[in-house]
Amino acid sequence: MEGSKTNYVDNTHQFFSVGLTIRQKEPKNLEAPFDRIDSYLTPTELFYIRSHFPIPALDRASYQLRIDGAVRSPLALSYEELRSMPSETRVATLECAGNSRVFLVPQVQGAQWELGAVSNAEWTGVPLRALLERAGLAEDACEIVLEGADRGMPKEEPMPPIPISYAWSLPRAKALRSEVLIAYQMNGRQLPRDHGFPVRAIVPGHYGMASVKWLTGIQAVREPFHGYWQTTDYAYWVMMDGKPVRRPLGEMQLKSQIARPRVCETLAPNRIYTISGAAWAGETDVTEIEVSTDGGRTWTRAEFVDPVRRHAWRRWKLEWMTPQEPGQYTLLSRAWDAAGVVQPDKHDRNYGTYVINHPLPIEVFIDES
Ligand code: MTE
């Protein structure tokens, strides 16, 4: 079933429409159809799913969210109590750090995500900051650990000695930013089970791994948290005084992708074809987008379809007069941010099998069909 397109029905009778691609059936890892980004918000049933363990059984009636650790007044909130607090609604793009892994040469281990481990949705919930204020966050708390109710044994070495939960810590400064939500709605409706029902974190601007689903614990800590996911899995190498050290992944890096044409699509010669895609960044804005139809020799500025909105993608398009000459052509896109930074030419190996944000080659064929 790897990589097949299907109507997907799970054992809770939740129905996914045609279009998600199965990368792994259990736990569920499904890819969104990036070539169908016709709407700014990804329809919930087409939003990618990345889960490390089976979905935990949680219900609204017995749900409790603990907020404890380095706080003056630890507390536990029920679902209804959380819902009665002032809420905010924000659009945020989530991208899995392993998105586009299939483009790495030579091929690497891990789910062979193509272009669809990224999606954009509107999230509603309570700012994490409000919860931390309510609990009385200690001055010397340096990180906030978010813990999900799902647990199991991870697959990658070095394996922990006992089954673990999915947990991720945020630096204090990010946790206190107004955009970080403890969300209970996605695109205006209750969160689906696959996306963290009843409550999940949404950490706009950071790779998807920080947006902990099935959230049941928020713990303030006075020492950096060195859990499995942010040391063994979603971590990278950074040089410190000439020595490589491990750091957890965080901010999403500037990236753009071509949605259409699709990989290996055949286009008619000498016709106007609209090349389209999307671009996004972490803690900055995407301000310019360029497209090459000759493998990167020359670049043409494309136009944005969506306005600038921090933490959300901007779709873009370019009208291309396809060549008269039949043959194979390589299309690329590259985005620039507000600081004048452009996407890197190559994948940075310090990121291992993550952060694949160089211009991704889309090969197409020009031929009379
Ligand atoms: N939260 C829990 N509890 N368990 C998980 O396996 N996966 C993370 C994150 N939150 C995960 C989690 C990863 S790696 C990503 S990319 C996002 O959830 C994906 O969110 P989605 O499935 O709603 O798209």
Side-chain angles (χ1 to χ4, degrees):
M1 288 300 270
E2 280 275 302
S4 62
K5 287 212 163 67
T6 180
N7 276 344
Y8 194 82
V9 182
D10 79 4
N11 56 13
T12 60
H13 310 292
Q14 203 171 357
F15 182 76
F16 293 93
S17 56
V18 178
L20 287 170
T21 302
I22 300 176
R23 295 275 160 243
Q24 193 184 346
K25 225 171 148 187
E26 189 55 46
K28 234 185 260 177
N29 287 292
L30 306 183
E31 179 152 353
F34 188 72
D35 58 339
R36 284 167 55 186
I37 52 162
D38 307 303
S39 59
Y40 177 57
L41 298 179
T42 309
T44 301
E45 66 279 9
L46 293 182
F47 201 99
Y48 82 95
I49 299 170
R50 174 65 178 119
S51 298
H52 289 274
F53 298 132
I55 299 177
L58 295 175
D59 69 74
R60 276 168 32 170
S62 61
Y63 175 79
Q64 292 264 292
L65 176 60
R66 283 174 289 107
I67 304 157
D68 57 18
V71 295
R72 281 188 296 283
S73 327
L75 65 131
L77 293 175
S78 68
Y79 182 79
E80 293 310 328
E81 284 169 321
L82 189 71
R83 289 219 48 163
S84 68
M85 290 181 69
S87 70
E88 284 188 25
T89 297
R90 295 180 174 270
V91 176
T93 296
L94 291 194
E95 183 191 15
C96 183
N99 186 33
S100 322
R101 185 174 285 139
V102 75
F103 285 87
L104 292 182
V105 181
Q107 197 184 16
V108 294
Q109 291 216 322
Q112 296 299 302
W113 298 109
E114 296 177 8
L115 299 170
V118 60
S119 303
N120 190 49
E122 189 180 74
W123 311 94
T124 302
V126 176
L128 172 58
R129 184 167 70 185
L131 297 174
L132 294 172
E133 277 167 6
R134 189 160 159 181
L137 182 64
E139 288 298 313
D140 58 349
C142 66
E143 290 185 2
I144 307 299
V145 182
L146 305 171
E147 187 178 12
D150 49 334
R151 43 176 58 242
M153 272 313 263
K155 304 274 172 310
E156 308 285 323
E157 296 284 353
M159 305 253 260
I162 53 166
I164 55 168
S165 58
Y166 186 88
W168 187 266
S169 74
L170 294 182
R172 179 189 177 104
K174 180 67 181 176
L176 290 175
R177 289 193 55 89
S178 57
E179 68 264 15
V180 179
L181 293 183
I182 303 306
Y184 45 76
Q185 280 191 347
M186 176 179 187
N187 292 335
R189 319 234 356 218
Q190 173 177 290
L191 271 179
R193 292 185 72 218
D194 288 314
H195 296 291
F197 172 84
V199 173
R200 76 175 299 173
I202 289 294
V203 184
H206 281 209
Y207 282 109
M209 80 267 135
S211 293
V212 176
K213 303 192 276 190
W214 311 294
L215 184 74
T216 49
I218 298 176
Q219 190 179 36
V221 291
R222 294 190 167 88
E223 300 285 333
F225 174 67
H226 296 298
Y228 173 86
W229 304 103
Q230 60 203 70
T231 53
T232 301
D233 195 346
Y234 295 104
Y236 69 108
W237 294 107
V238 68
M239 296 303 272
M240 227 175 97
D241 298 329
K243 295 179 280 300
V245 295
R246 286 297 262 178
R247 286 269 169 78
L249 291 175
E251 186 181 344
M252 283 196 289
Q253 299 299 306
L254 179 66
K255 181 162 173 177
S256 62
Q257 290 186 170
I258 295 173
R260 286 200 293 259
R262 302 165 186 91
V263 178
C264 292
E265 196 169 333
T266 300
L267 308 177
N270 209 23
R271 298 268 174 81
I272 291 189
Y273 181 91
T274 305
I275 302 173
S276 61
W280 57 93
E283 308 288 14
T284 181
D285 297 324
V286 178
T287 51
E288 217 172 286
I289 178 81
E290 292 178 326
V291 172
S292 173
T293 54
D294 55 13
R297 272 197 301 282
T298 61
W299 295 86
T300 308
R301 191 183 286 193
E303 90 186 77
F304 286 107
V305 177
D306 303 312
V308 170
R309 198 188 242 178
R310 180 65 56 90
H311 303 135
W313 71 19
R314 296 183 78 183
R315 290 168 305 147
W316 52 264
K317 61 177 185 175
L318 174 74
E319 294 204 334
W320 178 37
M321 178 58 94
T322 59
Q324 216 144 14
E325 189 71 18
Q328 188 176 341
Y329 292 81
T330 304
L331 273 46
L332 300 159
S333 68
R334 66 179 185 194
W336 301 73
D337 72 16
V341 174
V342 66
Q343 286 178 241
D345 288 342
K346 282 205 234 78
H347 176 243
D348 180 346
R349 291 185 51 194
N350 289 318
Y351 287 120
T353 64
Y354 292 119
V355 188
I356 300 115
N357 74 323
H358 60 288
L360 305 172
I362 303 297
E363 310 287 344
V364 296
F365 300 96
I366 301 294
D367 202 0
E368 289 291 2
S369 48

